[in-house]
Amino acid sequence: MLYCLEAMRLAPSASNAQPFFFHVCEGEKAKEIAQATQSMGMNRFTTNAPIQVVISEASYNPTAAIGSRIRDQDFRAVDIGIASIQFALAATEKGIGTCLLGWFDEKRIREILGIKERVRLVISVGYPQKDVLRKKVRKPLRQLTDYVKE
Ligand SMILES: Cc1cc2nc3c(=O)[nH]c(=O)nc-3n(C[C@H](O)[C@H](O)[C@H](O)COP(=O)(O)O)c2cc1C
């Protein structure tokens, strides 16, 4: 876990604001969080994951806040995404499985953790049942890229 959290900590962020906080939930808390990710048939598998990491959004530092206002861009979601994927990739490197979750009851999670901040993501952490990765279904490169020349 520390390895994954260090990988998260080293993530780049706009103006180095690091506008996130990772709440590592284990035991009964993890079970409660898992439940808060489950509704309408979604995320049943989180019951089997022993750790749930809740990522809340922290406020911007003054530099990031000013830059964001001038350029009309809010990079906090991007920063959270980068930090989260660094966490997930570090876990994969150690043979641990993760799933990033955007489907959760935010109000309930805030109650469980006793926090006021926005909850942006949950990462479910556990041991994968199989070593085989499921097939990646992705758009072809030509739908995702172009090369722009003079
Ligand atoms: C921001 C974000 C939110 C996601 N939320 C969920 C979720 O709530 N439940 C789930 O099962 N998968 C969730 N996923 C996983 C995606 O559904 C998954 O990456 C996508 O379907 C492609 O599958 P693959 O990565 O296994 O190829 C999420 C992924 C991201 C990046």
Side-chain angles (χ1 to χ4, degrees), residues 104-113 115 119:
F104 51 80
D105 180 339
E106 183 178 12
K107 191 165 164 276
R108 178 73 193 116
I109 291 183
R110 280 199 196 140
E111 278 168 12
I112 295 166
L113 297 178
I115 58 169
V119 174

Side-chain angles (χ1 to χ4, degrees), residues 37 42-46 81 85 99-104 120-122 133-138:
T37 70
M42 291 283 287
N43 297 336
R44 290 200 188 113
F45 60 90
T46 57
I85 209 67
C99 187
L100 271 59
L101 307 174
W103 183 269
F104 51 80
R120 295 302 188 187
L121 214 53
V122 175
L133 282 180
R134 70 177 176 193
K135 189 173 176 282
K136 296 285 159 189
V137 182
R138 298 292 190 262

Side-chain angles (χ1 to χ4, degrees), residues 25-89:
C25 304
E26 296 173 316
E28 283 308 310
K29 282 285 174 199
K31 285 184 192 156
E32 287 179 50
I33 298 291
Q35 263 176 15
T37 70
Q38 297 172 10
S39 61
M40 298 173 73
M42 291 283 287
N43 297 336
R44 290 200 188 113
F45 60 90
T46 57
T47 303
N48 303 321
I51 295 175
Q52 311 293 337
V53 182
V54 175
I55 298 134
S56 61
E57 187 175 278
S59 45
Y60 255 164
N61 62 27
T63 320
I66 292 166
S68 154
R69 226 167 292 139
I70 293 172
R71 287 292 175 199
D72 188 25
Q73 295 280 0
D74 189 331
F75 288 112
R76 277 175 289 190
V78 176
D79 296 336
I80 287 169
I82 294 170
S84 299
I85 209 67
Q86 290 210 180
F87 178 100
L89 290 173

Side-chain angles (χ1 to χ4, degrees), residues 3-13 16 18 20 82-83 86:
Y3 184 77
C4 302
L5 292 173
E6 270 298 318
M8 169 280 284
R9 195 177 71 83
L10 294 174
S13 59
N16 204 18
Q18 302 155 74
F20 39 73
I82 294 170
Q86 290 210 180

